Amino acid sequence: MQQLHHPHPFTTESGYTFPDLNIAYCTYGELNETRDNVIWVCHALTANADAADWWNGLIGAGKLFDPTRYFIICANMLGSCYGTTSPISIHPETGKKYGKDFPVVTVRDMVKAHQILREALNIQAINLLAGGSMGGQQALEWAIMEPDLFKRVAVIAANAKHSAWGIAFNESQRMALEADPTLYTDEPNAGQKGLEAARAMAMLSYRHYQTYESTQTNTDDRFDNFSASSYQRYQGYKLWKRFDPISYWILGKAMDSHDVGRGRGGLIEALKLVKAPTAVIGIQSDILFPIEEQQFIAQYIPNAQIETIQSPYGHDGFLIEYEQLTKVLDHLLDIGVSKEPVLSQLSPEVPGSELF
């Protein structure tokens, strides 16, 4: 993990000014002589900058995003607790954590932080910009903000504006966080129960009815201690062990802010600004970002193609269906976008990382 310290004020879309900014990021491979072999990956909600870890089916030697061919970079997004300025960061003027005083930030603010890092690394062209879920929201926003920067774009399981359905899921999770009276205290396990409950709610949107039926259905005659119940509790505890509750609150709010049409004359006019050939990839079983949202994006980006992945995992499929993603993204890297939609075959069931 590398760190960039930006020793200048950074003003958010809401008008809050950070006195400085820290940006954590990871890189794999090296820039070529012409500095045009860059793949920039934007990560999702609770992932981090180590994209080779949570997207290990795509990034690595011999894989599609091979560091011997490409310079791959992923930056931890603003507000996340994995190294970039966030609620757990120390405010340089107070000497204390930002905590509950951390301001609401937007997806657009996150992209502005990516731009700072890009400029610091002297990257003038990006061969492929790719992201899934909240990472896809960042990728789409960035492709609109700097349309001449990108040669290709992949927006995976994302939308042009966060839906009322998605906001309702996030608000329900914030209600769970706020119901924990320890959330904003200095207790060692502050916010634990709230975060665990919030994550359990989120899992219902990340997966699919059939996912639970096929993996968590009990086959005996028990009347208590169900597999689905213990699975939800395990997922909540697992996130608590690695993530900050206030950061989770902040990032959910940021996801709700996503609206590429804000200040640009609406969604359609904003999408028309994208110049790069774009693969818009949806998952047929996704209930959080349904395929209709990706179809809308592809309809209005001038040079876009909708691709559909078949998966029993719902939204989580963008972290699992590597064979299908490789097929679509390899085609994008080869010739831009396909002439016909790619409808891939269902891949074997494998465990998901759920890092979003």
Side-chain angles (χ1 to χ4, degrees), residues 28-29 39-41 51-52 55-73 127-131 154 156 325-326 328-330 332-333:
Y28 318 89
I39 293 178
W40 195 299
V41 175
W55 236 8
N56 56 16
L58 291 178
I59 301 173
K63 299 174 184 177
L64 182 63
F65 298 164
D66 191 330
T68 64
R69 294 184 59 197
Y70 299 109
F71 179 72
I72 305 150
I73 182 167
N127 186 25
L128 172 65
L129 172 66
I156 308 166
L325 284 171
T326 295
V328 174
L329 295 174
D330 184 42
L332 178 65
L333 284 167

Side-chain angles (χ1 to χ4, degrees), residues 1-2 24-29 39-44 46-61 63-67 71-77 82 114 128-132 135 138 156 318-320 322 325 329 353 355-356:
M1 190 80 69
Q2 302 174 70
Y25 66 101
C26 289
T27 64
Y28 318 89
I39 293 178
W40 195 299
V41 175
C42 297
H43 73 74
T46 64
N48 55 40
D50 188 6
D53 177 48
W54 55 263
W55 236 8
N56 56 16
L58 291 178
I59 301 173
K63 299 174 184 177
L64 182 63
F65 298 164
D66 191 330
F71 179 72
I72 305 150
I73 182 167
C74 181
N76 186 222
M77 61 187 173
Y82 287 122
H114 294 337
L128 172 65
L129 172 66
Q138 294 167 68
I156 308 166
F318 85 95
L319 295 164
I320 298 172
Y322 291 128
L325 284 171
L329 295 174
S353 62
L355 280 177
F356 55 87

Side-chain angles (χ1 to χ4, degrees), residues 259-331:
D259 178 0
V260 299
R262 185 171 59 249
R264 298 181 176 129
L267 297 176
I268 294 173
E269 293 304 312
L271 292 172
K272 289 178 180 178
L273 297 174
V274 178
K275 294 182 179 180
T278 303
V280 186
I281 304 171
I283 302 165
Q284 115 285 347
S285 58
D286 193 340
I287 63 171
L288 182 58
F289 293 82
I291 195 72
E292 293 84 357
E293 294 190 320
Q294 292 87 61
Q295 289 170 339
F296 178 84
I297 295 171
Q299 182 178 357
Y300 293 106
I301 290 178
N303 189 13
Q305 179 65 61
I306 182 72
E307 312 285 359
T308 304
I309 285 177
Q310 300 289 318
S311 176
Y313 295 104
H315 186 63
D316 215 5
F318 85 95
L319 295 164
I320 298 172
E321 305 291 354
Y322 291 128
E323 183 177 350
Q324 298 184 66
L325 284 171
T326 295
K327 182 177 180 181
V328 174
L329 295 174
D330 184 42
H331 197 88

Side-chain angles (χ1 to χ4, degrees), residues 51-215:
D53 177 48
W54 55 263
W55 236 8
N56 56 16
L58 291 178
I59 301 173
K63 299 174 184 177
L64 182 63
F65 298 164
D66 191 330
T68 64
R69 294 184 59 197
Y70 299 109
F71 179 72
I72 305 150
I73 182 167
C74 181
N76 186 222
M77 61 187 173
L78 180 65
S80 174
C81 55
Y82 287 122
T84 295
T85 299
S86 76
I88 67 170
S89 299
I90 302 299
H91 192 301
E93 295 177 359
T94 67
K96 299 179 180 179
K97 292 181 180 179
Y98 281 93
K100 65 179 180 180
D101 295 325
F102 195 85
V104 171
V105 295
T106 67
V107 170
R108 205 166 289 180
D109 294 327
M110 294 171 177
V111 173
K112 285 175 60 181
H114 294 337
Q115 291 174 312
I116 289 171
L117 176 60
R118 177 188 69 78
E119 292 169 2
L121 296 177
N122 191 27
I123 293 173
Q124 303 302 319
I126 294 175
N127 186 25
L128 172 65
L129 172 66
S133 190
M134 194 172 184
Q137 292 178 334
Q138 294 167 68
L140 185 59
E141 177 68 41
W142 198 357
I144 291 168
M145 290 173 70
E146 294 190 280
D148 294 318
L149 178 64
F150 307 101
K151 187 174 181 181
R152 301 169 181 85
V153 174
V155 176
I156 308 166
N159 50 18
K161 178 180 180 179
H162 206 48
S163 66
W165 172 252
I167 293 170
F169 264 114
N170 287 341
E171 186 65 23
S172 298
Q173 293 174 65
R174 286 189 290 271
M175 290 170 67
L177 286 164
E178 292 162 354
D180 185 336
T182 71
L183 177 62
Y184 296 122
T185 71
D186 294 327
E187 294 186 17
N189 295 333
Q192 176 178 354
K193 295 304 180 184
L195 182 60
E196 290 177 351
R199 184 59 164 186
M201 292 179 185
M203 290 305 302
L204 299 176
S205 68
Y206 297 157
R207 291 298 183 108
H208 186 269
Y209 174 92
Q210 197 56 51
T211 315
Y212 278 87
E213 285 298 294
S214 62
T215 64

